Amino acid sequence: MLKQTRNMIIPGVVAVLAVALPTILIQAGLIGAYTAQILTLSGVYAIMALSVNIICGITGQLSLGQAGFMAIGAYATIILSSDLHIPLPVSILLAGIITAFFGFLIGFPTLKLEGDYLAIVTLGFGEIIRVVLINLKKWTGGPNGKQFTTILTLNPTIAYLVIIGVLTALIILVQNFVRSTYGRAILAVREDEIAANSSGISVFKYKMIGFVIASFVAGIGGALYAPFIGFVKPDQASFTKSIDFLIFVVLGGMGSTSGSVLAAFVLTYLQEILRFLKDYRLLFYPVILIIVMLFRPQGLMGKKEFSFVTAFDWLKNDSVAWFKKLPSKFKKGNKETAKEAE
């Protein structure tokens, strides 16, 4: 019981610190507005990397249309909040549900396909979404896009708190889902569809569950992107955006939530650091991808997850071992000091 409590408390404390500490530093001015914006944008891209990892890494299906789902979530938030005057938090949640519904509509006829065929269909879906958004000028602003200003756009502190808070909540939910009965069934389908089907697991059903959840997460990412950036164009559904999100997952590790999120933060921040190289900075993505594919094709973390509990135990054991190696006179001095303090 104590072990289970500890395993819940340690990640919980880390999650609270990851959200609260930078928020306090941003509010105090110790983290500048520019750095805060990069960190917050990294959080949005990490949500998208989480979405791609659910469908590609956990479910085992290659999808190239996640940018299309992100665009649906972004425009749905703008329409619900700006045009229909629904409160922003409710609009964000509804945008995720609407995107999940589109994911169901797309997944129902396409998830019977596999491999390259599924990738081509989802790629076509993304392009269809982009063309539709361009032509729905009344609702989307056409090719010029649509502007949307909220408190997330104007206040970097609240933007970081909301987006990183949502990212943390999604990571916790996804990790718990993967460990659930449904998650185990999806992993079984990923590893071997024939063996899973022979064991009584409905392959299509669990593929659909994974696809719909990934669509929902992508919709939430788009729903947070729109009020944060304050402007959305149909190009948000382009093929190159989907590839960018896929790169995060490939570099971090297919099936590794922590690896995908870490890669999203590192690559987003790296792109800003190398901005002085202008267009040449875009060469670093393919170079890094080639190097990783040559020397570690499974990604930086493979299918493993970073565990704060394991890291805590390692630090504790290492510090105890270090203390035992100290000369006895230091230990004696520490004990005498402790007695004097008493």
Side-chain angles (χ1 to χ4, degrees):
M1 186 65 181
L2 292 175
K3 186 176 180 181
Q4 291 179 351
T5 305
R6 187 201 61 162
N7 292 348
M8 292 177 62
I9 290 175
I10 293 175
V13 171
V14 172
V16 170
L17 288 176
V19 176
L21 185 59
T23 303
I24 296 171
L25 295 177
I26 293 169
Q27 184 66 27
L30 298 177
I31 295 179
Y34 176 68
T35 303
Q37 187 176 29
I38 297 172
L39 289 174
T40 310
L41 183 62
S42 301
V44 175
Y45 288 161
I47 292 175
M48 292 307 302
L50 187 64
S51 168
V52 176
N53 185 58
I54 292 172
I55 185 64
C56 295
I58 297 175
T59 310
Q61 307 299 309
L62 181 57
S63 173
L64 298 177
Q66 296 307 104
F69 292 122
M70 181 182 185
I72 292 175
Y75 276 102
T77 303
I78 294 177
I79 294 170
L80 291 172
S81 182
S82 180
D83 298 337
L84 302 180
H85 305 291
I86 297 175
L88 184 59
V90 180
S91 298
I92 291 173
L93 181 60
L94 289 177
I97 296 172
I98 291 171
T99 309
F101 176 72
F102 275 95
F104 175 80
L105 292 180
I106 297 301
F108 194 80
T110 60
L111 284 178
K112 295 179 181 179
L113 303 173
E114 296 180 3
D116 299 337
Y117 300 104
L118 178 62
I120 293 171
V121 171
T122 52
L123 172 61
F125 162 72
E127 288 300 306
I128 290 171
I129 289 297
R130 187 179 66 83
V131 173
V132 170
L133 292 175
I134 289 174
N135 287 279
L136 288 177
K137 297 180 180 180
K138 180 181 178 181
W139 295 96
T140 65
N144 295 324
K146 195 165 185 177
Q147 195 169 359
F148 183 51
T149 302
T150 66
I151 192 171
L152 297 185
T153 312
L154 302 174
N155 194 317
T157 305
I158 295 178
Y160 178 88
L161 178 63
V162 170
I163 291 177
I164 302 300
V166 171
L167 170 64
T168 304
L170 288 175
I171 291 173
I172 294 172
L173 291 174
V174 169
Q175 288 296 91
N176 286 322
F177 173 76
V178 171
R179 296 188 182 99
S180 68
T181 305
Y182 286 91
R184 301 293 183 185
I186 290 174
L187 292 177
V189 171
R190 180 192 68 183
E191 296 300 325
D192 194 327
E193 291 187 12
I194 297 176
N197 192 36
S198 64
S199 300
I201 297 174
S202 176
V203 173
F204 178 76
K205 172 186 173 182
Y206 287 101
K207 279 185 180 180
M208 178 64 75
I209 291 173
F211 196 81
V212 170
I213 292 175
S215 303
F216 174 81
V217 174
I220 294 294
L224 292 172
Y225 177 86
F228 169 61
I229 297 298
F231 182 76
V232 181
K233 292 180 66 176
D235 290 342
Q236 193 62 43
S238 65
F239 166 68
T240 54
K241 282 289 184 181
S242 294
I243 294 298
D244 288 342
F245 302 145
L246 183 61
I247 288 174
F248 296 149
V249 177
V250 172
L251 290 180
M254 285 280 192
S256 173
T257 300
S258 52
S260 302
V261 171
L262 180 63
F265 273 91
V266 171
L267 291 180
T268 304
Y269 208 87
L270 180 64
Q271 192 174 7
E272 294 300 323
I273 293 175
L274 300 175
R275 191 169 286 278
F276 68 94
L277 296 176
K278 298 181 180 179
D279 291 341
Y280 291 103
R281 65 192 169 92
L282 300 177
L283 294 175
F284 279 83
Y285 267 23
V287 169
I288 293 173
L289 189 61
I290 290 171
I291 292 173
V292 171
M293 290 300 99
L294 287 175
F295 297 100
R296 192 169 176 80
Q298 69 270 34
L300 296 177
M301 296 193 68
K303 295 180 181 179
K304 298 179 180 179
E305 298 288 354
F306 181 81
S307 173
F308 290 105
V309 176
T310 304
F312 176 81
D313 290 338
W314 180 80
L315 289 173
K316 184 180 70 173
N317 295 334
D318 195 56
S319 61
V320 170
W322 177 80
F323 182 76
K324 288 181 179 179
K325 291 179 181 179
L326 286 175
S328 58
K329 59 180 182 180
F330 289 109
K331 297 180 183 177
K332 185 178 179 181
N334 290 336
K335 292 178 180 179
E336 292 176 355
T337 304
K339 288 181 180 179
E340 291 176 0
E342 293 176 356

